[in-house]
Amino acid sequence: MDREAAGAPELRPARAPQDFHFYPMDLYDPEDRLHLFPEEHLQTGREVQAEMTGEPKGAAPRDLEEDVEELVHLYALGDGSEWDAELVDGSSPHLEVWEQRPRMAGAHRDWSLGAEAEAGDRGCAGWGAPAPSRDLREAYRYSHGRASEEYECYVIPEEEDEDEAALVFCVTCKAPVRALEVSDEHREHEVTPLSKALESAKDEIHKNMFKLEKQIIEMENFANHLEEVFITVEENFGRQEQNFESHYNEILETLSQKYEEKIQALGEKKKAKLETLYGQLVSCGENLDTCKELMENIEEMCHEEKVDFIKDAVAMADRLGKFLNTETDVEISAQPDFEDQTLDFSDVEQLMGSINTIPAPSAPVINPQTPNSATGSSVRVCWSLYSDDTVESYQLSYRPMQDSLPGKDPEEFTMTVKETYCSVTNLMPNTQYEFWVTAQNRTGPSPASECVVYMTAPSPPIIKSKEIQSCEEAALICWESGNLNPVDSYTVELTQAETPEPSGVTESVVGIPTCESLVQLHPRQSYTVYVRALNMGGPSARSDPVTIYTTGSCFHLNEHTCHPWLTISEDGLTVVRSERKTLAKEPLPSNTRFTRCVAVMGNLIPIRGRHYWEVEVDERVDYTVGVAFEDVPKQDDLGANCLSWCMRHRFASSRHKYEFLHNKMTPDIRITVSPRKIGILLDYENSKLSFFNADISQHLYTFSCQFYCFVHPCFSLEKPGCLKIHNGIAMPKHVAFY
């Protein structure tokens, strides 16, 4: 339905801006803390009755018979005479409100009565029915009780105590007392309101719980560390046992091999020597037999006749000459003495010595990266050696985990250090690196540790100063990440100009997931803004500072919406249309950029309230100023639809014509004094848009608008000229009280 045709503008609920993330300053709301104590005040039945009747705390109890009659009449227990036997000893059966005890995790807690109630139960046998006090309590529970998930039975509700606010807490006695009934013993004691004491006790318990939780985490980590050390020591001793067994087996094998070699060598030498001696012995025997034979032949020749003797003597002489001329070896070729057999046990000694040498170290364990242990170009890597191994040095290796070219592995780097930590420098910001380490001694290197990923801190973000939007209550800060890889979050740091703190940081907004933040500020102040990027390695350095003033509303022109025929100045506050650009070809239609209408939008902060700015105009220029929704048709003129409200000026033949357009409709208003500076007041609270002649403080016109979402300032030049925007100025008095 057309809004104008519908008559009075229909009020619709305001829509929240899209794609904005609001982060309040108070990040730690005390109301979100864990409530550890029940808020109910526990009193006995006698105390409740005394307060209801207005009796003083120390007053004597009412007559016992009156109590009995009242209870009997109330619960229809019979004649009051049944109570007489129970009250002879002066005791009075009475009912107490049960004490509430919270159920603790991991333990069972039951409900119990006080000592007086237990005595009352034992003394109520004459009430007529078995265990009448229990029936009485059960009846009261079902008629007046309420169930609680945190307690094990129905709890008798207490009546509201009108004097509960008068309770105070005695710090000296550590007990609650009534402010109106403070006795002499509490007059000089330190007292505090009960609510304050309760809140203090809760805070103390809360802190102790956090300390206990931290201690539990530390003990669990220590237990895990002990378990790792236990396993590592067991593995090391097992490895040493295997090492000893391997060495001893190798030594025995070496000795056995040497024994076989020596026995074989001795056998061969024995055989050679005996064979030589045996041959010499056989030769000697043969010579001896020949000598004996010659002797016998000579003796026989001596007994022969002379003629025969001479014949045989000549032959015998030749034979003896030949025999005697033959050399006879009478020296022993193989001496009987044993040679000194030297055994070479150097290799065995080397094996024996290796048993007593230190073993190669076990694999180190690189610790996970700790927070804030990195900068944009360095990381601090730490590791541990869970054993008693002797280490002379460590070899730390690393490589980047970024995508490398196909078929090319990332370059690896190695460093030699003596300590169990190392600061690695000359790294790329916001980049993951894979680290591993080996330990070395004179025996050799250890196995490599498991690879652990460390990450350098990000580069400082870059604040977009031209896109900052602010008003007196807040500022929208935008920035660029400055990093190729995504980061975990951002932190905005704000410093007031007059802050005397040494650190200079008055407020911080943390955990921002995107590159913009809407921050609440104080009016009429000057802030210096920094932005940091964070990842698992730590925070980046501060960005370059930007100053924000919370005096009035500040915005810049949005060049993404600017018509191609317009030019925005470098400061983003002046728009110019020149003759040369007017001759250009008309651009194609667009949903974000003005095409037919030669206009541009401003980026006003999405905060409801009152925003004021001024536009310096030329009396002889045709211009249009006002506001429009972001989704206003970019092909329509401003004011030609129901999504924009504007003031249009036409100058022709020395005459000025002013129109206040909305949906092509304008009121019949004549302006006698042409404004050179137009003040515009956008009032979200009252749904109004007002125009003023800022030079003479004159009100021109006010629209009653229906803002279903945030609007933006709009500026249009239909002929060559310029418009200059003045913002960040205090609201004039004639506007503030309008």
Side-chain angles (χ1 to χ4, degrees), residues 228 232 362-368 382-386 437 449-450 452:
E228 292 176 356
T232 304
S362 58
V365 177
I366 298 184
N367 302 334
C382 302
W383 58 88
S384 304
L385 194 66
Y386 295 128
V437 65
S449 67
E450 294 185 358
V452 176

Side-chain angles (χ1 to χ4, degrees), residues 542-577:
R542 280 180 168 183
S543 65
D544 293 334
V546 172
T547 303
I548 295 178
Y549 300 94
T550 56
T551 302
S553 299
C554 294
F555 62 89
H556 294 82
L557 297 175
N558 186 357
E559 59 183 8
H560 300 292
T561 64
C562 183
H563 191 281
W565 293 356
L566 298 179
T567 302
I568 300 176
S569 63
E570 186 176 353
D571 61 1
L573 297 176
T574 302
V575 56
V576 179
R577 179 175 179 177

Side-chain angles (χ1 to χ4, degrees), residues 57 65 67 113 145 228 384 386 423 434 654 670:
K57 186 174 182 180
E65 294 182 0
D67 293 339
L113 297 175
E228 292 176 356
S384 304
Y386 295 128
S423 294
E434 193 175 34
S654 302
R670 296 184 180 181

Side-chain angles (χ1 to χ4, degrees), residues 590-597 630-636:
S590 173
N591 293 328
T592 58
R593 183 184 298 272
F594 286 98
T595 54
R596 183 177 178 276
C597 178
E630 185 176 5
D631 57 350
V632 64
K634 302 302 188 293
Q635 294 78 27
D636 294 348

Side-chain angles (χ1 to χ4, degrees), residues 317-330:
D318 295 336
R319 184 179 178 186
L320 285 174
K322 292 180 180 180
F323 177 76
L324 292 175
N325 290 331
T326 303
E327 295 182 1
T328 303
D329 188 9
V330 292

Side-chain angles (χ1 to χ4, degrees), residues 42-79:
L42 305 180
Q43 293 177 303
T44 62
R46 186 178 300 280
E47 292 174 347
V48 174
Q49 182 179 2
E51 292 179 8
M52 294 176 60
T53 56
E55 296 178 4
K57 186 174 182 180
R62 296 193 309 170
D63 185 55
L64 299 179
E65 294 182 0
E66 295 179 4
D67 293 339
V68 172
E69 291 177 1
E70 183 178 353
L71 289 173
V72 170
H73 177 72
L74 179 62
Y75 295 101
L77 296 176
D79 191 4

Side-chain angles (χ1 to χ4, degrees), residues 270-537:
K270 174 184 175 182
K271 180 180 179 181
K273 186 172 288 189
L274 290 178
E275 288 178 353
T276 302
L277 291 174
Y278 180 76
Q280 197 172 13
L281 181 61
V282 171
S283 177
C284 182
E286 290 177 351
N287 290 334
L288 184 60
D289 291 342
T290 303
C291 289
K292 288 181 178 182
E293 182 182 357
L294 290 174
M295 287 296 295
E296 290 177 355
N297 291 333
I298 291 173
E299 288 179 357
E300 290 178 356
M301 286 173 57
C302 291
H303 296 288
E304 290 180 355
E305 294 294 335
K306 294 181 179 179
V307 178
D308 295 332
F309 175 78
I310 293 174
K311 294 180 179 178
D312 293 334
V314 175
M316 181 60 67
D318 295 336
R319 184 179 178 186
L320 285 174
K322 292 180 180 180
F323 177 76
L324 292 175
N325 290 331
T326 303
E327 295 182 1
T328 303
D329 188 9
V330 292
E331 293 181 2
I332 300 176
S333 60
Q335 297 296 328
D337 299 334
F338 290 101
E339 297 179 1
D340 186 11
Q341 299 292 332
T342 302
L343 299 178
D344 184 12
F345 289 102
S346 59
D347 50 354
V348 178
E349 292 175 355
Q350 184 178 359
L351 291 174
M352 292 294 294
S354 64
I355 298 178
N356 299 323
T357 59
I358 58 175
S362 58
V365 177
I366 298 184
N367 302 334
Q369 185 174 12
T370 57
N372 304 326
S373 63
T375 65
S377 60
S378 66
V379 294
R380 181 181 174 88
V381 185
C382 302
W383 58 88
S384 304
L385 194 66
Y386 295 128
S387 65
D388 297 331
D389 295 342
T390 301
V391 178
E392 297 177 358
S393 63
Y394 296 94
Q395 293 285 337
L396 178 64
S397 303
Y398 63 96
R399 63 189 174 195
M401 293 187 64
Q402 61 185 6
D403 296 335
S404 57
L405 296 176
K408 182 179 179 181
D409 295 332
E411 185 179 0
E412 295 184 2
F413 304 90
T414 302
M415 304 175 62
T416 301
V417 294
K418 296 290 186 180
E419 297 80 9
T420 57
Y421 61 88
C422 180
S423 294
V424 184
T425 58
N426 298 326
L427 303 178
M428 294 180 292
N430 199 36
T431 303
Q432 290 183 334
Y433 286 86
E434 193 175 34
F435 289 87
W436 66 95
V437 65
T438 58
Q440 290 184 337
N441 58 20
R442 61 187 180 184
T443 304
S446 71
S449 67
E450 294 185 358
C451 296
V452 176
V453 176
Y454 275 58
M455 192 170 190
T456 53
S459 299
I462 303 172
I463 300 179
K464 301 178 182 178
S465 58
K466 293 185 178 181
E467 297 185 15
I468 292 180
Q469 309 162 31
S470 64
C471 61
E472 292 192 351
E473 294 83 14
L476 179 63
I477 306 168
C478 304
W479 59 87
E480 294 179 356
S481 173
N483 296 272
L484 296 177
N485 299 324
V487 300
D488 294 341
S489 63
Y490 297 93
T491 297
V492 175
E493 298 177 355
L494 305 169
T495 304
Q496 289 188 9
E498 62 274 9
T499 301
E501 295 184 8
S503 63
V505 178
T506 57
E507 294 176 345
S508 295
V509 184
V510 301
I512 305 173
T514 59
C515 290
E516 62 180 23
S517 176
L518 186 62
V519 183
Q520 288 183 333
L521 302 175
H522 299 288
R524 294 175 295 281
Q525 297 291 331
S526 174
Y527 291 87
T528 303
V529 181
Y530 306 88
V531 180
R532 296 180 188 266
L534 288 89
N535 61 13
M536 61 180 297

